[in-house]
Amino acid sequence: MILLNDRRTRSRRLGVVAAAGGLLAALLTAAPAGATPDPGDAPPASKKVSESARAEVREAIENGEIPGQDEIVHSGNIQHLAHVPKDVLRGTNSDLAFQGRYAFAGNYDGFRIFDISNPKAPKTVSQVLCPGSQNDISVSGDLLFLSTDSSRSDSSCTSTTQPATEKSSWEGMKVFDISDKRDPRYVAAVETACGSHTHTLVPERRNVYVYVSSYAPNAAYPDCRPPHDGISVIKVPRNAPEKAKVVGFPVLFPGEGPDGGGNPGGPTNPGVSKTTGCHDITVLPSKDLAAGACMGDGILFSVKDPERPKVIDRVQDNVNFAFWHSATFNQRADKVVFTDELGGGGAATCNAEIGPNRGADGIYDIVGKGDKRKLVFRSYFKIPRHQADTENCVAHNGSLIPVKGKDLMVQGWYQGGVSVWDFTDSAEPKEIAYFDRGPLTTDTIKSGGSWSAYYYNGYIYSNEYARGFDVLKIDDRRTDPARSVHLRELNVQTQPDYFD
């Protein structure tokens, strides 16, 4: 592979001079971004770093070890086709969904619809102001789904923040009619316990089931009290979305005690999040299978009956995983990639001090059949380029690149940029391409970077936390076959069967 800028592949000393014990302890106990039912709608405040760390970042830039502030670097097999800055919606950019020639981009202030028929020049079709972090987004037919995980005064798009301790506060799922992309209509709202940090669609012909992931209950919150050891299931009739309602709360972690049977976290397992719900779920409808990233646990479960999911296996990693964040199946459904959001997405964890096994992907093989299937750990993957101590960087949202016989994935790493990697050999994953920008700042940790990087119909789309919307193209013999695969719709957490 020819690299446009090979300085990014050198080993670096960034982060080594930091106070290892104190920083690592702080990271392992840090709450994930938006981990409480009322995180507010503003992005995390900038955090100061030591003078020695600032000096180290400046020196690394001067020596060409990392790109300069906002400078773009990438491997030779990646092209940067387009960048669309933020516009009306000034909040944090979040997740992406796709349908036909449209991309739907979540933002803490609402959502934006792009026409991507010309990937080199995306055009804004509409922007909907509807604040409510983190506005995780999905689409199915004429319906768009939006998660609200901050306590609001009511369910409207003109609501204001309100403490979660007040019974009248609202958080949950919003549903829009997008039959007219230029003028989406808000048609339904469903309140859910502890809100909706993320959600996952399980679509059927007449109904769409929505799995709502939320967590961090508190006895002081009237609508979010422990134990909170499961997920809310919403049933949305396609022809009457206004009748959407919660039809169940399946318990995924049964057990004794105030928090159910999930990972107890510290002090039993120091540095590991206590499981009080799930952060994200990915379903593979063609296999009636789902994988849940649930704070201190990773689970595999059956969704054959979408209203009554059944856990098949459960794993923990109490050494290297601080917060199980998201999951991705390979196409054959014999592997799952779980991500660890060490530091909650607001910390600098892609450095020599933290190392290659924390804040990384964990690759698990699925062995056995039916209800006897097991998750078996094989390896970790982390981007090989150390980032500055002023760059928030950790494993985050990504998707498969559909190539038969290969397991390829593109993934956002916040200010670690976008990485394309191969986990066909689950014991020896390797990066094959990257795109990255230099730090937002050189004197504080100011959150930014790729929240989500997904492959859709021949291109990579990235929703950049702080800067805007990016379109990339990869030209590589290993990924080229994916260009022949065209989807009518893509919600990455509802994985399609690309080849059937």
Side-chain angles (χ1 to χ4, degrees):
M1 178 177 65
I2 298 174
L3 298 182
L4 182 70
N5 192 329
D6 65 359
R7 69 188 180 192
R8 302 288 282 144
T9 64
R10 301 174 191 164
S11 61
R12 288 184 285 281
R13 59 188 177 83
L14 287 175
V16 175
V17 299
L23 177 58
L24 184 58
L27 285 171
L28 292 177
T29 56
T36 64
D38 186 20
D41 300 320
S46 298
K47 290 173 278 189
K48 293 182 179 179
V49 297
S50 67
E51 177 53 41
S52 62
R54 293 196 294 270
E56 191 176 326
V57 172
R58 291 192 293 267
E59 182 183 352
I61 291 174
E62 291 171 2
N63 293 339
E65 295 177 347
I66 64 173
Q69 190 170 345
D70 289 324
E71 179 188 357
I72 290 176
V73 295
H74 54 83
S75 54
N77 53 0
I78 286 278
Q79 299 176 58
H80 187 206
L81 298 183
H83 174 72
V84 184
K86 290 182 181 178
D87 189 14
V88 173
L89 307 177
R90 306 303 297 174
T92 299
N93 281 335
S94 57
D95 211 1
L96 293 168
F98 304 90
Q99 186 182 82
R101 68 174 197 241
Y102 299 102
F104 303 82
N107 179 287
Y108 276 44
D109 286 341
F111 64 93
R112 187 174 184 177
I113 302 178
F114 292 99
D115 182 336
I116 54 172
S117 53
N118 179 2
K120 294 181 179 180
K123 296 179 180 178
T124 299
V125 177
S126 59
Q127 299 187 69
V128 175
L129 181 64
C130 195
S133 65
Q134 56 188 7
N135 278 339
D136 193 45
I137 193 167
S138 296
V139 294
S140 184
D142 286 337
L143 300 178
L144 180 147
F145 302 85
L146 208 63
S147 286
T148 299
D149 191 35
S150 59
S151 296
R152 312 294 301 179
S153 56
D154 55 56
S155 63
S156 74
C157 285
T158 57
S159 66
T160 57
T161 57
Q162 183 169 290
T165 52
E166 294 189 22
K167 176 62 179 173
S168 63
S169 295
W170 184 94
E171 49 187 322
M173 288 298 309
K174 295 169 180 170
V175 185
F176 290 78
D177 183 320
I178 53 169
S179 53
D180 182 351
K181 305 296 188 294
R182 296 166 299 179
D183 186 22
R185 292 187 304 108
Y186 185 11
V187 295
V190 181
E191 187 172 14
T192 56
C194 300
S196 175
H197 193 67
T198 67
H199 68 269
T200 303
L201 305 187
V202 187
E204 295 184 335
R205 188 168 62 88
R206 294 183 177 179
N207 304 296
V208 180
Y209 287 95
V210 185
Y211 288 173
V212 175
S213 294
S214 55
Y215 51 97
N218 188 304
Y221 301 151
D223 298 317
C224 181
R225 289 174 173 155
H228 184 74
D229 46 11
I231 57 174
S232 297
V233 179
I234 299 173
K235 184 177 181 180
V236 184
R238 290 189 184 276
N239 294 330
E242 69 279 1
K243 295 181 180 179
K245 64 179 181 180
V246 175
V247 293
F249 187 85
V251 173
L252 303 178
F253 301 96
E256 301 296 330
D259 298 310
N263 196 320
T268 303
N269 297 316
V272 177
S273 295
K274 177 169 66 174
T275 298
T276 58
C278 290
H279 178 276
D280 212 344
I281 290 169
T282 294
V283 299
L284 193 56
S286 64
K287 302 290 194 299
D288 291 328
L289 203 59
C294 303
M295 303 183 71
D297 294 89
I299 59 174
L300 184 71
F301 57 104
S302 168
V303 293
K304 191 171 184 178
D305 181 346
E307 293 189 25
R308 298 170 183 82
K310 177 182 178 182
V311 175
I312 296 171
D313 194 28
R314 168 184 164 197
V315 289
Q316 298 177 353
D317 180 346
N318 294 319
V319 176
N320 288 318
F321 259 49
F323 188 86
W324 295 68
H325 173 274
S326 54
T328 303
F329 288 102
N330 69 336
Q331 180 59 34
R332 294 178 59 188
D334 58 10
K335 298 174 190 173
V336 181
V337 174
F338 289 103
T339 67
D340 172 25
E341 195 182 34
L342 172 68
T349 74
C350 297
N351 52 32
E353 179 192 351
I354 301 301
N357 297 338
R358 291 189 173 99
D361 296 315
I363 305 167
Y364 286 75
D365 285 352
I366 302 173
V367 300
K369 295 181 179 181
D371 289 350
K372 295 185 178 180
R373 284 173 285 190
K374 297 291 183 183
L375 293 164
V376 179
F377 174 77
R378 293 302 186 203
S379 67
Y380 299 106
F381 171 77
K382 194 170 185 180
I383 56 173
R385 297 167 309 287
H386 292 161
Q387 305 294 307
D389 281 341
T390 60
E391 292 182 282
N392 61 310
C393 176
V394 75
H396 214 240
N397 293 344
S399 75
L400 290 185
I401 298 178
V403 175
K404 269 191 176 180
K406 297 289 184 181
D407 296 325
L408 306 176
M409 186 170 173
V410 60
Q411 186 174 9
W413 288 77
Y414 288 121
Q415 285 197 73
V418 175
S419 176
V420 179
W421 57 290
D422 184 335
F423 63 104
T424 306
D425 181 348
S426 52
E428 295 288 341
K430 57 186 179 182
E431 185 177 74
I432 62 175
Y434 69 86
F435 171 87
D436 193 11
R437 285 183 172 91
L440 276 165
T441 67
T442 58
D443 56 359
T444 63
I445 296 181
K446 184 178 180 181
S447 292
S450 179
W451 178 292
S452 300
Y454 298 148
Y455 186 93
Y456 177 69
N457 292 352
Y459 298 89
I460 293 168
Y461 298 90
S462 171
N463 214 17
E464 221 279 3
Y465 190 126
R467 297 176 176 98
F469 180 72
D470 288 300
V471 186
L472 311 175
K473 185 178 181 181
I474 182 168
D475 290 299
D476 190 287
R477 58 178 176 78
R478 291 161 289 192
T479 61
D480 286 349
R483 295 179 188 171
S484 64
V485 178
H486 287 270
L487 301 176
R488 288 176 293 180
E489 195 170 86
L490 177 63
N491 300 295
V492 167
Q493 289 74 33
T494 306
Q495 284 190 219
D497 192 330
Y498 289 98
F499 304 113
D500 281 358

